Structures are given as C-alpha cells and as structure tokens.
Amino acid sequence: MKPNGEDEPDSNRHFPRVLVGVTGGIAAYKVCEIVSALAKSGIEVQVILTEAACEFISPLTFATLSRRPAYTDKDFWQPMQGRPLHIRLGEWADIFLIAPLTANTLAKLTYGLADNLLTNTVLASTCPILLAPAMNTDMWEQPSVQQNWQKFRENPRIHSTGMGVGLLACDRIGAGRMAEPEEIGAHLESLLHTQGKRDLSGKRVLISAGGTREHFDPVRFLGNPSTGKMGVAVAQAALHRGATVTLVHTPLSVPLPPGLQTVPVVSAAQMQEAILTYYTEADFIVMAAAVADVKPAEYVNQKLPKKLLPDALTLAPVPDIAAELGRRKQSHQCLIGFAAQTGDFVKPAREKLHQKNLDAIAANPIDRPDSGFGSDTNQAVFLDRTGRQQNVPACSKLKMAHELWDFVLVLSAEC
C-alpha cells in the first residue's frame, strides 16, 4: 500500500495478497509460522488482530513477520486517512484467512455482527475466506457452535480446514486443535490458484499414490523411489476443489490431509484389487502411483538367511492396472495416467496414452533437477486424447496438481 494508505493500482500488482485475521485463542502462536512462510514466499500479507488476540501475540510480532503494519481495533477507531480502513483491507485481499477462529468470532460472523475491525472487514470483503477453527472440545461440540459452523459454511465464499484431534492446551484430548501451518498453507495455495472455485463439487475422484512393494520374503522387496507426494498433492487439490476423494496408497513419506477416504495397500496386486473395487463409482480416476512391472515369481514366508539368497531372482509380470481400467472404463469416466520417464519423456507417454486407452497423461521427467521422485517440486508435459499438449514448468507439486485438474476439466467439458 502507498504511504497515504491508498492501494496501488491493480495494473501494478505482482504478487497475490493474503489478509490474515487472528482472534483470541492460544493457537494464535501457530499463525506466526503461517505469516512468516507467506511473506518469505513473496506473497503480500497483512494481519488484523482482535483485542483478545493481542493478549496472546503482540501486533509487533506480526508486523515484523509480514513486513507490514499489523492492525488492531485501535487503528479502526482512529480518524480516517483516506478511505475507511476496513473497506481498504477488504478490497485489498485476494484471500482472507481467519486463524484461529474462536466460538465468539464464529457467532458474530454467522449473524453478520460487526463490532470490531476484523468482523467489519469480513463484511466489507468479497474474496474467498478460509476458516481454521480452534477451541476446547466441549466448546466445539456445543449444539449452538455446531449450528453456527454449519450455517456460516453455507456461504459459498467460505472454505475451511479440518479440525485436529489430540492433546489441547486445556489438557483435554479430543477435537479442537487448529490445523497445522503446513495444512493451512496448502489450502491457501489452492485458493490462490482456484480463487475459491469448487469445480469438482459433486464429483467422485479415485487416485492411486506411492510406489508398490513386491516382496520375496517378509523384509526384502522390489520397489522404486516413489514417496507418494505427487499423488497426495493430486488428491489434496481435488479435495480443495470440492471433490469426494478416495486415495489408494502404498506406504507414504508424507502426511495425509484430512477429509480423504484412504485405502492402504502394499503390492501391485493389492492396489489392483482396491482400484477395481472403487473405480465404478468414480468420475475421475488418476493413476499417480508408481506401480511395479514385475514381481518375484516366488514368495518365502520367512526371512531368508543371507547365505540362502539366490544368485538370480526369477521374475513374473504384474497385471497392468491402468490398461485394465482403460478396457473397463465407462463413457462418463475420465482416466488419467502418469508416465515417469528419462530422456525423451514425451514420446513414450504419448504411446502409453493410446495403448492403454487413457484420456490424459502427465509425462514426468525424473532425470531433471527438482523433478520426480522424492522432490517437493515437479514439472511435466500434459497430453490428452484430442492432441492437446501443455508444458508445466517446475513448480510445487500442489500447483502442478491444480494445473492437471485445470487441463483435465477442459477435456471433461468437451466430452
């Protein structure tokens, strides 16, 4: 913002803007990490604190972390310089995060009450709002609080994180923990991409993730370096866009976001059984898992001593799950594959697209820096059956997941 308090013209904007509202809960300390991470990523951040929030965290802390003034009710009641503060802040924001959201502020927002800077700014804004509630379990479970929660979320602007379960600051064990900063950060990233669109609302999505393990004894297996990060990101993006998501996954190295139906498996055979159980109800099926091509021909049910390990391991083929789905899929279903390749990665992906009767495929180069297995970033070329092709440069895996859904939804609309 300019020194006189007026906004810069939109034509001069370079970075997305997140407005953070902090209310009076002990979880306010977690918001410091969120604000710091947003500012470091280049996102413009401004913070509003309620009077109660100032009892937990000082405005100076948030001002330092955001590199901008942090506003309180004292600022709200000062003589105006230019346009009213709550109007300017409400119009400034691309996304409005309220964290922690207390029962008191929830009740005010539900009924449109505006007695402080935060609640007035909510009424003066039109952007998507992300809520991260936090309170004692008994408070959260009160019928009046649950009614307010359900009522306020009927507003299409409103999005929410999950409520964590565990040991609370009051020593109670139960629901009431604010979502962790990483989860809130991911949801903000999604909202900045979609601007609050729920374009997968009412859709059922089935996704596979992780690398299968083909054991030849209880402790040894043939596998691959897949961590499942990309598949989980695709699931998280679909969830944030309103889908009902089932994730069939192998052992993963990343936490699973709340709200997913999860089906843990280990081997390709187990994954095939789970996928074929759930695929008939799915509108979109995304095979993001790194599924084995072969497995040991024989399995020994106890650990082999080192001296008894065979010099050569006889291998047997593993059923091709994607190809089987390509044969079985119904006309309303969209089947998306992934192709992890080295070298010329687009040509084999295009062949796989047609051979397995896929609707779209993400060709993923795994021999480039910060791409592929285990990395937090990825890059790809998307292809579809109509001949469309889209290059996606290196970005976070969640952003790539959203780019994939954008690509797939265009194809789905044309069907």
Side-chain angles (χ1 to χ4, degrees):
M1 301 176 72
K2 292 181 178 180
N4 65 4
E6 295 297 324
D7 293 344
E8 294 284 358
D10 284 346
S11 61
N12 292 335
R13 292 186 56 183
H14 299 288
F15 302 106
R17 296 167 170 174
V18 175
L19 182 61
V20 180
V22 185
T23 70
I26 187 62
Y29 79 92
K30 293 183 179 180
V31 186
C32 296
E33 182 178 341
I34 297 167
V35 170
S36 177
L38 290 172
K40 288 176 180 177
S41 70
I43 293 173
E44 296 184 19
V45 191
Q46 295 201 94
V47 180
I48 300 171
L49 295 91
T50 65
E51 184 178 351
C54 295
E55 298 295 325
F56 292 92
I57 301 289
S58 76
L60 177 60
T61 299
F62 284 114
T64 303
L65 294 173
S66 67
R67 286 73 161 171
R68 287 171 170 268
Y71 296 103
T72 69
D73 288 349
K74 292 180 180 179
D75 301 297
F76 186 42
W77 299 114
Q78 292 298 314
M80 288 188 298
Q81 296 181 355
R83 301 169 69 225
L85 178 60
H86 64 291
I87 303 297
R88 288 191 284 112
L89 289 172
E91 292 177 349
W92 176 88
D94 294 320
I95 305 294
F96 199 158
L97 166 67
I98 304 178
L101 173 69
T102 59
N104 181 51
T105 297
L106 171 61
K108 292 179 181 180
L109 296 177
T110 301
Y111 293 97
L113 302 181
D115 64 351
N116 59 21
L117 176 58
L118 175 59
T119 52
N120 273 273
T121 305
V122 169
L123 294 184
S125 67
T126 58
C127 64
I129 298 174
L130 177 62
L131 306 176
M135 63 194 75
N136 166 269
T137 304
D138 293 324
M139 295 173 68
W140 173 246
E141 293 178 350
Q142 285 292 329
S144 58
V145 174
Q146 286 301 305
Q147 289 167 10
N148 290 343
W149 178 245
Q150 298 302 326
K151 182 177 177 63
F152 190 48
R153 290 176 66 207
E154 291 174 0
N155 185 330
R157 291 175 59 200
I158 303 305
H159 302 256
S160 64
T161 66
M163 176 72 87
V165 177
L167 178 64
L168 308 182
C170 59
D171 293 329
R172 176 70 185 272
I173 297 176
R177 290 176 61 89
M178 190 178 83
E180 294 304 316
E182 295 81 4
E183 181 187 343
I184 294 173
H187 215 133
L188 288 172
E189 183 178 353
S190 289
L191 288 174
L192 287 169
H193 181 93
T194 65
Q195 287 299 298
K197 289 185 300 183
R198 292 184 173 93
D199 45 11
L200 285 173
S201 180
K203 300 297 184 182
R204 292 184 174 273
V205 176
L206 176 62
I207 300 170
S208 69
T212 60
R213 299 178 178 183
E214 308 304 324
H215 283 264
F216 62 88
D217 73 10
V219 298
R220 301 181 181 95
F221 60 85
L222 297 180
N224 58 68
S226 176
T227 59
K229 289 181 180 180
M230 191 67 242
V232 170
V234 173
Q236 192 169 38
L239 194 68
H240 291 167
R241 296 171 86 134
T244 299
V245 183
T246 299
L247 180 69
V248 178
H249 66 88
T250 63
L252 303 174
S253 67
V254 290
L256 290 172
L260 301 174
Q261 177 183 3
T262 58
V263 183
V265 298
V266 176
S267 67
Q270 292 171 348
M271 179 168 284
Q272 181 184 41
E273 181 181 3
I275 292 289
L276 295 182
T277 297
Y278 289 97
Y279 91 96
T280 55
E281 299 178 353
D283 299 292
F284 297 91
I285 307 164
V286 185
M287 292 298 298
V291 182
D293 297 306
V294 294
K295 65 178 182 179
E298 296 183 3
Y299 175 75
V300 180
N301 60 11
Q302 59 183 359
K303 181 183 177 181
L304 287 173
K306 186 175 182 179
K307 63 183 179 181
L308 295 181
L309 290 175
D311 293 330
L313 193 63
T314 304
L315 301 177
V318 169
D320 190 324
I321 304 174
E324 182 65 22
L325 289 171
R327 289 188 288 270
R328 296 191 183 201
K329 70 183 175 85
Q330 303 168 52
S331 59
H332 72 279
Q333 293 180 309
C334 188
L335 177 60
I336 304 105
F338 271 73
Q341 301 288 159
T342 60
D344 180 4
F345 63 99
V346 175
K347 181 180 179 181
R350 184 175 286 109
E351 292 172 352
K352 182 177 180 180
L353 170 74
H354 296 293
Q355 290 171 356
K356 301 189 179 186
N357 194 29
L358 307 179
D359 296 291
I361 194 167
N364 184 203
I366 60 172
D367 56 349
R368 298 185 182 183
D370 300 321
S371 178
F373 297 137
S375 67
D376 293 326
T377 57
N378 211 350
Q379 57 186 298
V381 174
F382 300 155
L383 309 165
D384 75 10
R385 64 168 184 258
T386 70
R388 277 193 311 144
Q389 180 170 321
Q390 177 183 332
N391 297 325
V392 181
C395 59
S396 73
K397 288 189 172 178
L398 183 57
K399 177 172 176 54
M400 185 172 136
H402 279 295
E403 295 286 353
L404 179 62
W405 283 119
D406 291 344
F407 185 81
V408 169
L409 285 168
V410 170
L411 174 65
S412 179
E414 293 174 349
C415 296

